[in-house]
Each structure stands twice: as structure tokens, then as C-alpha cells.
Amino acid sequence: MADQKHADKTKARNKRVMLGCVAVVGGMIGLSYASVPLYALFCQVTGYGGTTQVGTDAPRDVSEQTIKIRFNADVNSRLPWQFKPEQREMTVKLGEDNLAHYMAENMSVKPVTGQAVYNVTPLKAGQYFSKIACFCFDEQTLEPGQRVDMPVSFYVDPAIAEDPNTRDVKTITLSYTFYKAEASVEGPDGDEENGG
């Protein structure tokens, strides 16, 4: 009788341990799925990792102080596009609404959809760099051989000059990398580069 009670207690304890392990594993899986959007939200709010801000309008106060903006463009090897900035750099006033242009061209014989990811360096400048309008906000579909102008409207918050951590920033580099969108209209991993 005592052996049966001991066996029942052991079974109950093992069941609790197993349920606890399943709950921990389930929680870890749930956190792994939630971590990407939560990290993206954190970066967007804080500018961490060079994530820029999204603005609706440039501030009314434009400073006479200037900063140099450099432009960089890259394309992932799976995307058969050419992509480059139309200007290598500009000197802008803090708080001023500016317009820069990039050019993209689909080098394949099929329509292809791409999505740009972006950041600024130095990373600490991300919280002061705001985009008002940008091609990077949406996926872009280019027809075969199509070449398009891709503008970005931005400003640099004058508060960057007041922050002790960013007073030394004289140049900001805005970088874009275009990737093939997961649901590209040309289909999954076609052989676009070879024309078929």
C-alpha cells in the first residue's frame, strides 16, 4: 500500500515537472516569435541600431548649423536589380526638409518585387534622423528592364546638436539594402539572372 502511494506521488510529481517543462518550452517559442516585432518596435522608438524615425513634417525651426549626409546603396545577391544613390552626399541644415534620390533598375526578364531595409551610421544618430516619405516604407515591384527614381524626404532634428552624445557627429550615412520580397511577383527563386 505504501509502495502504491509512493508511486502515485512520483507519477504526480513527474507529471508536474513535465507540464512545467512544456510550459517553459512553449513560452520560449512564443518569445522567439514575439522578439522580432518587439525588437523592431524598440529600435524604432529609441533609434537603437541606427533605426531612423518616421516624421510627418520637418520642424518649423531650421538651424543655420549644417551636417553632411552620405548615401549608400546595396542589393542582396538574390535580387537582380541595380540600385544606387543619385548623389553621394549633401550638406543640409538641421531641421530642414530635404529630398534625396536613388535609382533602381530591374535587370531581369521578369517582374520582381523588392523591399529595402535601412539604417544610419553612426548608430547614435538614428533617433535624430527622420524620414517623411520613403520608397522603403513599401515593397517595390519593377517590370523587366524598368528603371525608376526612388526619392526619400528627410530631416535631421536640430536636437542632435544639443545632445552631448551626438555633438561630435558631423556626418551621417544613410544606407539601404534591397532584398527580394518573400512574395515576389516573379515567384519563388526563379532563375531571373539567366533570363528564365
Side-chain angles (χ1 to χ4, degrees), residues 33-174:
Y33 280 104
S35 65
V36 173
L38 289 175
Y39 181 74
L41 179 62
F42 169 76
C43 290
Q44 186 175 4
V45 168
T46 64
Y48 182 76
T51 302
T52 63
Q53 305 301 301
V54 176
T56 53
D57 290 312
R60 292 189 180 152
D61 298 327
V62 175
S63 169
E64 289 303 311
Q65 192 168 353
T66 62
I67 193 164
K68 187 182 292 185
I69 308 296
R70 290 192 177 135
F71 301 93
N72 183 57
D74 294 299
V75 180
N76 180 271
S77 61
R78 290 184 56 222
L79 183 67
W81 286 9
Q82 279 189 359
F83 176 59
K84 64 180 183 179
E86 293 291 343
Q87 63 288 302
R88 284 289 168 199
E89 63 182 41
M90 346 174 24
T91 300
V92 302
K93 292 181 179 179
L94 298 181
E96 179 180 49
D97 187 357
N98 301 281
L99 190 62
H101 296 267
Y102 283 76
M103 181 282 299
E105 184 175 5
N106 181 356
M107 306 304 289
S108 77
V109 296
K110 297 180 181 178
V112 183
T113 300
Q115 175 70 55
V117 296
Y118 52 87
N119 75 334
V120 297
T121 53
L123 302 180
K124 61 187 176 181
Q127 63 184 319
Y128 298 106
F129 194 99
S130 294
K131 295 179 186 175
I132 298 170
C134 183
F135 58 87
C136 59
F137 294 160
D138 300 301
E139 291 181 350
Q140 303 292 325
T141 300
L142 299 184
E143 295 300 318
Q146 182 181 10
R147 181 182 173 126
V148 296
D149 177 54
M150 294 188 165
V152 56
S153 173
F154 68 93
Y155 66 90
V156 180
D157 190 326
I160 194 171
E162 306 304 320
D163 185 339
N165 294 321
T166 55
R167 283 189 190 148
D168 63 329
V169 176
K170 305 297 180 217
T171 303
I172 297 174
T173 302
L174 174 61

Side-chain angles (χ1 to χ4, degrees), residues 10-24:
T10 302
K11 275 186 177 180
R13 186 176 38 198
N14 288 345
K15 188 174 182 179
R16 283 194 306 271
V17 169
M18 184 184 79
L19 289 174
C21 289
V22 167
V24 167

